[in-house]
Amino acid sequence: MKNYTSINDIDNINSWIEEAKLLKANPLKDIELGKNKTLGLLFFNSSLRTRLSTQKAALNLGMDPIVMNVSGDAWGIEFEDGTVMNGNTAEHIKEAAAVVSQYCDIIAVRAFPSLIDKEKDESEHVLKSFVKFASVPIVSMESATGHPLQGLTDAITIAENTTKKKPKVVLSWAPHVKALPHAVANSFTQAMQKMDVDFVITNPEGYNLNPEITKNTPICHHQEEAFKDADFIYTKNWSSYDDYGKKANTDPNWMITKKKIGAAKFMHCLPVRRNVIVEDTVLDSDNSLVIEQANNRTYAAQLVLKKILENV
Ligand code: CP
């Protein structure tokens, strides 16, 4: 594997999950693999988990991670070709990606969508520009349309916690004060489509995800009905895809409550707004897997970096 930019880069999710479990059991077993190799982490957006877990993963492999907050600290990067750069951008991606490639053996990039220009967001112009102009492998740490490190993490967490051969997994929309990206929900959906699970998405009318992502996955507009017999309830807010990025929706009827989830395990990628997305009583209960999910971010990232290092 050269780059990891999508859940579609996973050839066999079950074998990846088994490999991740082995890394979790013995995190330093490949400490020599990344010796004298550098991982560059470039953040166009905020992060707690991705920033720390990906560095931890690199350290477990013996790599040296270096981190830059591109938006705050670097020169403004121009992504358009042929532009007269007499505005706010001072450096073109052609030079930026080539330069960083000289310092790093792998580059990881986080770049959220604008949620204004659907076509531009869906073109993944930031991530794809790095893939095009860097001379080293690229890892997505969440892009405009996907969060594949999170999706892999969530698949590992479900596999570790299921007591059934084919559990029922529900992805539920939940309210939020801001219009949020679709990336986490998209990658979770793609990961579940690769697993042997009974997978259902529930969201209000007008909030269906991109049909090219959901494909044949059932979509139910009645949350209570979708939650019936659920083993795992994965919750996330996302903005409208049809009325692109426009609608924030704070409808409290979609908030996750202890009564609604019953015995199901609760999952969320974090950060989560308490008592907006989900009640305290759910997050503070034994049913919540959110801290375990965050822990698994390290092993998902470690597996991805390992596979790339084995290939360079
Ligand atoms: N889940 C996740 O990606 O967390 P951060 O945004 O804090 O990295």
Side-chain angles (χ1 to χ4, degrees), residues 46-50 110 142 147 150 269-271 297:
S46 305
S47 168
L48 187 153
R49 280 141 292 275
T50 306
R110 165 166 280 201
E142 187 170 342
H147 194 353
Q150 184 69 52
C269 62
L270 301 182
R297 289 295 306 272

Side-chain angles (χ1 to χ4, degrees), residues 43 45-54 110 112 141-142 147 149-150 184 234 236 268-271 294 297:
F43 287 92
N45 308 94
S46 305
S47 168
L48 187 153
R49 280 141 292 275
T50 306
R51 182 170 175 145
L52 297 180
S53 65
T54 311
R110 165 166 280 201
F112 290 173
M141 295 191 295
E142 187 170 342
H147 194 353
L149 288 175
Q150 184 69 52
V184 168
Y234 193 102
K236 184 73 184 79
H268 189 284
C269 62
L270 301 182
R297 289 295 306 272

